[in-house]
Amino acid sequence: MVDFANLYTYIPVVLVILAPIIGGIMMGIDRKLTARMQSRMGPPIVQPFYDAIKLWGKEPFIASQLQPILAFGYFGFSIAAFTLLAFGQDMLLMIFTMAIADLCLIFAAFNSKSPYSNIGARRELIAMMSYEPVMLLAAISVFFVTGSFMVGSIYEISQPLLTILPLTFLALIPVLIIDMKKSPFDVSGSGHAHQELVRGIYTEFSGYTLALVELGHWTKITLLLAFASLFWSQNLIVGVVLAFALFFVVLVIDNSYPRLDWKTMIKTTWTVGFLLIIANIVGLIARVVILS
Amino acid sequence: MKTMTKARLKSPWVMHFDCGSCNGCDIEILAALTPKFDVERFGIVNIGDPKQADVLVVTGPANKRNQRVLKNLYDQMPQPKAVIAVGECACSGAIFHNCPNTLGGVDKVIPVDVYVPGCAARPESIIDGVVLVLQKLQKVSEGEKVD
């Protein structure tokens, strides 16, 4: 029996279904804003959906038998990671599920002889190595505040997380840049043409496998933005504005920096990201010690 | 099916191949991407990967050295696909038509759908060529026979 009296319980289900669509609209806004920053008109907001539908209707060119399965895996595990967030489950599990989704993409890229796709996959591994620890530390810093790794526990604190963990929020900027494949850290494969690796990790995908990879990517972006919006969990609208602000900062950085190499990527995330979050945690502990 | 046709017309991804052009036409193709012409507002994206491209834009005369590469790139593009020959050289070979090392126009190697003349072709005419190619893609998508 469906209990219509308690409709609030269905909000997570609706969110999970809408996650790829929200991500697609965000990518459309991204292309429009990027175009405006370069004084161009830019494509319509729904352009990513046209691209995905078109890709779905192209003749399938499969590089290896495993590739479509892994493309489905990338999409599926991204959705699974978002489901964990939407239902207020464990943050660590969410981050690991996201890592499995990324691994699916990497294995799919390794599963062909193309040197572009192979180098792109190797660089994606380095990208994972640089942002995953920052995400984990961010989850740990949330643990210091709420005393639990559950996303649901964030809703139970009275003070917004942003006022307690402002530096952790800043550390999410490089994470989002790497995950959205934006300059300066788009080493593994960029949305723009004329990079030295053709399309990097996406080179061997075409037709519906590329459409699936795009859908998975949109879901992952929605996931990260939803995680950012948790930093003001008391008021949903403020949270969404916060996520938009983070998104806008990433776009400004994308349009003002050239791409940098993987060494700079690791150095930046491991120094700036780690230091910001550790400073925040140390500050929290110091405050508790001084007050007691 | 109608949605698919609309999506195809709204997002033609273009791959550019230089068959040994003098770079005049190549610069004009890139000019179409600049803020003045901004083809991205029609969803046209310059993409480097033949497996993801819908339209192949070729500049320069086909010659004996690169005809294998050109054929290979064309074969790697999934259906539905189309080819635009941009510039006099790509259309007919122009001043190189009887050189011993060239074959003449691009249509000696791969089937060409739209010819964009000019030396160099203007960005406006290149965009016009893409619009003409979209009409062909629409017919293909709606199931009509196109020669």
Side-chain angles (χ1 to χ4, degrees), chain A residues 5-255:
Chain A
N6 199 358
L7 274 176
Y8 271 108
T9 51
Y10 298 105
I11 287 180
V13 183
V14 174
L15 268 181
V16 169
I17 295 166
L18 284 182
I21 298 168
I22 297 169
I25 292 169
M26 291 311 282
M27 291 307 273
I29 295 171
D30 159 22
R31 282 177 75 171
K32 192 87 188 170
L33 279 176
T34 303
R36 295 309 301 164
M37 283 179 205
Q38 297 167 356
S39 66
R40 292 189 285 116
M41 277 295 289
I45 301 279
V46 289
Q47 183 63 42
F49 297 102
Y50 289 136
D51 292 345
I53 294 169
K54 177 206 74 178
L55 285 170
W56 199 268
K58 292 280 277 186
E59 180 192 5
F61 270 21
I62 307 298
S64 77
Q65 297 285 323
L66 194 59
Q67 204 191 39
I69 302 169
L70 289 172
F72 271 108
Y74 180 60
F75 178 53
F77 279 112
S78 302
I79 290 277
F82 188 81
T83 313
L84 288 172
L85 180 86
F87 282 91
Q89 293 303 306
D90 201 321
M91 258 184 294
L92 292 178
L93 204 57
M94 179 194 94
I95 293 167
F96 296 143
T97 316
M98 220 167 85
I100 294 175
D102 241 2
L103 281 179
C104 282
L105 181 66
I106 289 164
F107 282 129
F110 269 133
N111 218 282
S112 70
K113 284 178 182 163
S114 160
Y116 301 118
S117 146
N118 269 269
I119 297 172
R122 258 176 251 169
R123 290 185 178 180
E124 180 68 23
L125 275 173
I126 296 167
M128 262 180 81
M129 205 167 90
S130 41
Y131 81 78
E132 291 280 337
V134 181
M135 279 295 280
L136 277 177
L137 267 180
I140 289 167
S141 69
V142 173
F143 173 80
F144 271 95
V145 178
T146 60
S148 160
F149 278 115
M150 299 301 256
V151 174
S153 67
I154 299 174
Y155 285 99
E156 283 156 19
I157 54 171
S158 54
Q159 205 185 344
L161 264 186
L162 183 69
T163 55
I164 313 169
L165 300 167
L167 298 179
T168 303
F169 188 73
L170 284 183
L172 286 181
I173 294 175
V175 172
L176 197 60
I177 292 175
I178 295 173
D179 223 30
M180 281 178 72
K181 305 236 176 345
K182 290 286 180 198
S183 295
F185 301 140
D186 56 348
V187 283
S188 68
S190 163
H192 308 292
H194 293 304
Q195 305 282 10
E196 83 279 21
L197 287 182
V198 187
R199 284 275 279 162
I201 193 165
Y202 302 123
T203 307
E204 286 301 316
F205 294 99
S206 65
Y208 77 93
T209 53
L210 185 64
L212 278 170
V213 167
E214 288 283 315
L215 281 171
H217 191 208
W218 300 348
T219 316
K220 267 183 80 183
I221 288 163
T222 319
L223 171 69
L224 279 176
L225 290 175
F227 185 71
S229 75
L230 284 178
F231 277 72
W232 206 291
S233 54
Q234 281 72 21
N235 189 336
L236 187 67
I237 294 165
V238 182
V240 169
V241 169
L242 207 59
F244 257 105
L246 188 70
F247 185 72
F248 188 74
V249 169
V250 168
L251 290 189
V252 171
I253 293 172
D254 174 38
N255 279 294

Side-chain angles (χ1 to χ4, degrees), chain A residues 31 35 38-44 47 49-63 191-194 198-199 202-207 210 214, chain B residues 3-4 6-8 10-13 16 30 33-36 38 40-55 75-81:
Chain A
R31 282 177 75 171
Q38 297 167 356
S39 66
R40 292 189 285 116
M41 277 295 289
Q47 183 63 42
F49 297 102
Y50 289 136
D51 292 345
I53 294 169
K54 177 206 74 178
L55 285 170
W56 199 268
K58 292 280 277 186
E59 180 192 5
F61 270 21
I62 307 298
H192 308 292
H194 293 304
V198 187
R199 284 275 279 162
Y202 302 123
T203 307
E204 286 301 316
F205 294 99
S206 65
L210 185 64
E214 288 283 315
Chain B
T3 324
M4 184 62 77
K6 192 177 180 200
R8 276 177 182 153
K10 285 277 191 180
S11 91
W13 288 0
H16 170 213
L30 291 179
L33 297 165
T34 56
K36 186 168 181 187
D38 183 28
E40 207 199 337
R41 69 200 146 118
F42 306 122
I44 303 174
V45 177
N46 187 3
I47 203 133
D49 190 346
K51 290 188 170 188
Q52 299 167 6
D54 304 294
V55 180
D75 290 340
Q76 279 188 38
M77 285 167 62
Q79 293 284 0
K81 59 186 169 186

Side-chain angles (χ1 to χ4, degrees), chain B residues 9 11 14 23 28 41 45 50 54 60 62-63 66-67 70-73 95 97 103 115 118 126 134 141 147:
Chain B
L9 297 185
S11 91
V14 166
N23 282 158
E28 299 300 326
R41 69 200 146 118
V45 177
D54 304 294
N63 58 50
N66 65 24
Q67 60 166 328
L70 182 61
K71 186 83 180 57
N72 193 5
L73 281 176
I95 55 166
H97 71 281
L103 301 167
Y115 298 88
I126 295 170
L134 288 183
S141 195
D147 45 35

